[in-house]
Amino acid sequence: MILKQSLTTLGFLSVVIFVMVFGQTTSADAQKVHALLLIMDDDLDIRKSVDVNRLRVKKTLQLLDINPEIWRADERQVQPDHIIKWVQNCQTEIEDTILVYYTGHGHVDHEKRHYLDLDTQNVELSLLRSDLVKVLQEKNCQLKMLITDTCSQDRGEIPPMVVKSFGAVVSRERRHLQNLFLQHNGFLDITAASPGQYAWGNNEIGGYFTAALVKSFTTDSDTDRNGFLSWEEVFSTTCEETEKLFSETEFLPINRQRMDDIGQETQKPNAYTLPESLTQLSSPTRQIPETIIGKDGAKMALVSAGEFQMGSNTGNADEKPVHSVYTDAFYIDVYEVTNAQYKKFIEANPQWRKDRIAKSYHDGGYLKLWEGNSYPKDKENHPVVYVNWYAAMAYAEWANKRLPTEAEWEKAARGYLVGKTYPWGNLTDTNKANYDRSIDNTSPVGSYFANGYNLYDMAGNVFEWCLDAWTEDFYANSPPRNPLYSGDLIDITSNFTNIKNPRVFRGGSWLSPLSLIRIAYRNRSAPLNTYSDVGFRCVIPVNPSVFSVE
């Protein structure tokens, strides 16, 4: 949802930068640069960050005596057709340049179409980026430019971080800006997009990509020393500068400089502070990597220690009341456990094969879709289903992991969002999850939305087993730290095959209606039961601790 920066050419980072068409340079200066800056800042989470981007780009253009037109979402209701019409109505001459710069929310749907989300409360106010590209390409002028600094919620490999410090932007020489904005031909399309929910940047420097891009408009970027600065040279320098920003960054979830109640009506836009738990995590003595690879080969993402608001006051009785819960830091699988991963487990533990599992450990439907030791054809990357709680616990034990507690699962699913219905916010969106029989089957893991922790399928695809037993009134009596219902951690993990009481599963599935993919929704079943839409993912505590006892 929130603006992000990345550089895909870096591997470790991933900004998608596409230079679609470059013509030959010309010695003729453009008569005029027509510039529109679109600032999506009606969201408290990103307002200060995108405003830094606005000032940085505006000041850069003013070095060329360009005063761009600026549309801010908090001042006017910007609609997709307004932007299209601005471009169409722009009176450009053949030697002119036209520039559209956007910073704010965005997403990529399951068909890989990139949208600019102009209003967080209205999904219909999203501009299909390819429509904007098309109308720009139709303009009869020397240089057409589109630069968007936005999240994509697409798949990628970027560790969330926050910059500790950033030096002043170096001074820029006017002649290099003339090279870039006045002396190129063709169409320039730069998409600075990254996966997941939150901004790659902070409230001081704005977006990393925009900061790196503008800083690259310098003499130092002229690598061939021919006195002419090309966009190719700028991109190369931008990649290096963004990598430098990340390399100088402490391991800390990004752009969370807000109290836990940010987004509520009483919260002021400038009231941004780091929660104490995150401040502690940023200490140089605790270099905690943002991602690790588990014994089973699964990528895992860090969920920081700290409090979050658990439950829902508008949901079912067992979801009430909303209450503050503190969890220690833990890693959680980025994706649900797949058929291919589960096959490795049963090959190493033949007692859990379909033809060998003890009858007391399943209901007769265990691995129902498998033929012997083989999962269904072409389903290696689909989540494993028809696995019960016992089997999920056994897999976790083999992988030196465990199942998440309900509190850990819900905190991970929220991905830093506070009080939202779904992992992406409050609006329904069929492009963000596999639910309500939209494709009438499971989908490959990671096919849909990634939340603020870069976790996929936390809503829909398959329900996921949790460690806890279920009871309706647990939230009313839940311990405030690391809650776990019905037993302690050691008792449950060491004697799981003897447990008989119902266990919780969360997240909704491909079969579930919209009401069941809510973050706070709770479901349960006997530990031996198997279903076509229930799977699991695992966690590893960063600092194992004694969990609360019922």
Side-chain angles (χ1 to χ4, degrees):
M1 292 245 332
I2 296 178
L3 86 127
K4 294 188 173 183
Q5 291 71 41
S6 59
L7 292 171
T8 46
T9 55
L10 295 179
F12 153 69
L13 304 172
S14 289
V15 167
V16 183
I17 296 183
F18 296 112
V19 183
M20 296 180 63
V21 179
F22 271 111
Q24 297 298 314
T25 59
T26 175
S27 59
D29 286 347
Q31 295 291 315
K32 186 177 182 181
V33 175
H34 309 263
L36 173 62
L37 307 188
L38 301 169
I39 313 299
M40 209 303 272
D41 60 350
D42 66 340
D43 189 316
L44 293 178
D45 285 330
I46 69 169
R47 182 172 293 170
K48 294 186 70 176
S49 184
V50 299
D51 211 43
V52 173
N53 285 353
R54 173 186 64 83
L55 291 172
R56 179 172 281 116
V57 175
K58 180 181 178 181
K59 289 180 179 179
T60 300
L61 294 176
Q62 286 177 338
L63 293 175
L64 288 172
D65 299 324
I66 300 168
N67 289 309
E69 189 168 346
I70 300 175
W71 293 0
R72 302 177 60 126
D74 63 346
E75 295 176 353
R76 58 183 296 167
Q77 183 64 64
V78 180
Q79 298 187 19
D81 63 328
H82 295 165
I83 302 169
I84 296 296
K85 289 179 180 178
W86 182 91
V87 175
Q88 291 174 333
N89 296 333
C90 199
Q91 299 299 311
T92 55
E93 302 294 336
I94 189 65
E95 66 270 27
D96 286 355
T97 294
I98 183 170
L99 163 66
V100 176
Y101 170 86
Y102 172 87
T103 178
H105 289 294
H107 75 276
V108 170
D109 66 16
H110 64 282
E111 296 181 7
K112 303 301 181 183
R113 296 176 299 187
H114 190 186
Y115 290 83
L116 310 181
D117 297 333
L118 306 176
D119 189 332
T120 55
Q121 302 303 315
N122 189 346
V123 71
E124 294 182 357
L125 293 182
S126 293
L127 173 60
L128 185 60
R129 198 174 184 282
S130 60
D131 288 346
L132 185 52
V133 168
K134 180 180 179 181
V135 72
L136 278 167
Q137 288 176 320
E138 292 172 351
K139 297 300 292 185
N140 186 24
C141 58
Q142 177 172 290
L143 177 61
K144 286 85 72 171
M145 306 172 65
L146 176 60
I147 302 175
T148 55
D149 192 347
T150 168
C151 65
S152 70
Q153 297 172 357
D154 197 5
R155 300 178 64 176
E157 307 292 334
I158 306 175
M161 301 178 181
V162 73
V163 170
K164 179 174 62 175
S165 63
F166 183 77
V169 176
V170 298
S171 60
R172 295 170 292 276
E173 296 183 37
R174 179 185 175 95
R175 65 186 179 91
H176 288 294
L177 292 178
Q178 288 177 324
N179 294 163
L180 293 171
F181 291 92
L182 306 181
Q183 296 183 358
H184 282 83
N185 286 334
F187 184 75
L188 175 67
D189 180 6
I190 311 173
T191 304
S194 70
Q197 184 96 11
Y198 282 91
W200 298 109
N202 64 22
N203 294 325
E204 294 181 1
I205 72 165
Y208 295 164
F209 172 74
T210 294
L213 180 68
V214 171
K215 188 175 181 181
S216 299
F217 298 160
T218 67
T219 304
D220 291 340
S221 298
D222 183 15
T223 54
D224 59 10
R225 298 294 184 249
N226 66 351
F228 184 89
L229 186 58
S230 69
W231 278 103
E232 292 94 332
E233 290 172 318
V234 166
F235 293 153
S236 177
T237 307
T238 299
C239 290
E240 294 173 0
E241 179 62 25
T242 307
E243 184 173 20
K244 180 181 178 183
L245 287 176
F246 275 86
S247 67
E248 293 176 352
T249 299
E250 293 192 11
F251 293 106
L252 177 65
I254 47 93
N255 208 26
R256 313 300 189 221
Q257 294 168 302
R258 55 186 173 85
M259 301 300 289
D260 283 341
D261 60 346
I262 194 73
Q264 297 181 8
E265 293 181 358
T266 57
Q267 185 67 39
K268 301 299 182 183
N270 60 353
Y272 283 67
T273 58
L274 274 174
E276 180 181 358
S277 58
L278 296 188
T279 305
Q280 294 171 351
L281 183 58
S282 66
S283 168
T285 62
R286 297 190 64 190
Q287 294 294 303
I288 303 175
E290 291 293 326
T291 60
I292 61 172
I293 303 298
K295 172 187 172 182
D296 56 352
K299 182 179 178 181
M300 308 185 76
L302 176 67
V303 176
S304 309
E307 288 188 351
F308 77 105
Q309 296 297 302
M310 185 173 183
S312 170
N313 287 329
T314 60
N316 299 324
D318 65 346
E319 301 168 26
K320 302 173 183 178
V322 173
H323 56 295
S324 294
V325 171
Y326 176 95
T327 69
D328 292 329
F330 60 93
Y331 290 101
I332 186 167
D333 290 342
V334 169
Y335 308 107
E336 294 155 334
V337 174
T338 66
N339 283 313
Q341 290 170 325
Y342 198 79
K343 179 177 173 64
K344 293 180 180 179
F345 159 67
I346 61 175
E347 286 175 345
N349 300 271
Q351 70 273 26
W352 289 96
R353 286 178 47 162
K354 181 177 180 179
D355 57 351
R356 297 191 187 182
I357 185 173
K359 291 183 179 180
S360 58
Y361 293 164
H362 73 108
D363 60 356
Y366 176 68
L367 296 182
K368 182 177 180 179
L369 302 180
W370 288 45
E371 299 236 355
N373 198 31
S374 299
Y375 48 76
K377 184 179 180 181
D378 299 326
K379 293 293 182 69
E380 63 271 14
N381 290 323
H382 285 240
V384 63
V385 293
Y386 287 107
V387 286
N388 56 31
W389 187 80
Y390 294 135
M393 290 286 288
Y395 177 99
E397 182 180 56
W398 164 75
N400 294 330
K401 302 178 181 182
R402 61 169 170 78
L403 293 183
T405 66
E406 270 201 274
E408 289 170 336
W409 187 95
E410 185 167 327
K411 182 176 182 179
R414 292 193 177 278
Y416 293 105
L417 292 183
V418 178
K420 303 301 184 183
T421 304
Y422 311 105
W424 55 84
N426 289 331
L427 298 177
T428 59
D429 193 331
T430 56
N431 293 322
K432 288 185 168 64
N434 177 12
Y435 68 96
D436 203 20
R437 293 184 178 271
S438 59
I439 62 173
D440 212 31
N441 205 334
T442 58
S443 52
V445 297
S447 296
Y448 288 84
F449 172 79
N451 72 1
Y453 288 118
N454 279 333
L455 306 176
Y456 291 85
D457 301 312
M458 296 303 291
N461 212 13
V462 294
F463 279 103
E464 299 172 12
W465 287 110
C466 293
L467 199 62
D468 303 60
W470 179 86
T471 186
E472 182 174 358
D473 60 354
F474 181 50
Y475 285 12
N477 307 295
S478 171
R481 296 179 66 92
N482 300 319
L484 174 63
Y485 182 71
S486 186
D488 63 31
L489 183 65
I490 295 176
D491 284 345
I492 294 174
T493 55
S494 62
N495 299 294
F496 69 88
T497 55
N498 294 320
I499 288 175
K500 305 298 181 183
N501 52 348
R503 315 312 286 187
V504 172
F505 51 81
R506 304 287 297 264
S509 77
W510 61 274
L511 279 169
S512 301
L514 185 65
S515 61
L516 303 193
I517 67 167
R518 295 178 297 107
I519 295 174
Y521 177 74
R522 307 171 68 206
N523 208 329
R524 75 278 189 186
S525 184
L528 57 72
N529 287 341
T530 60
Y531 302 93
S532 65
D533 63 338
V534 178
F536 66 100
R537 72 179 79 210
C538 303
V539 302
I540 296 177
V542 172
N543 293 306
S545 61
V546 177
F547 279 66
S548 303
V549 180
E550 175 194 353

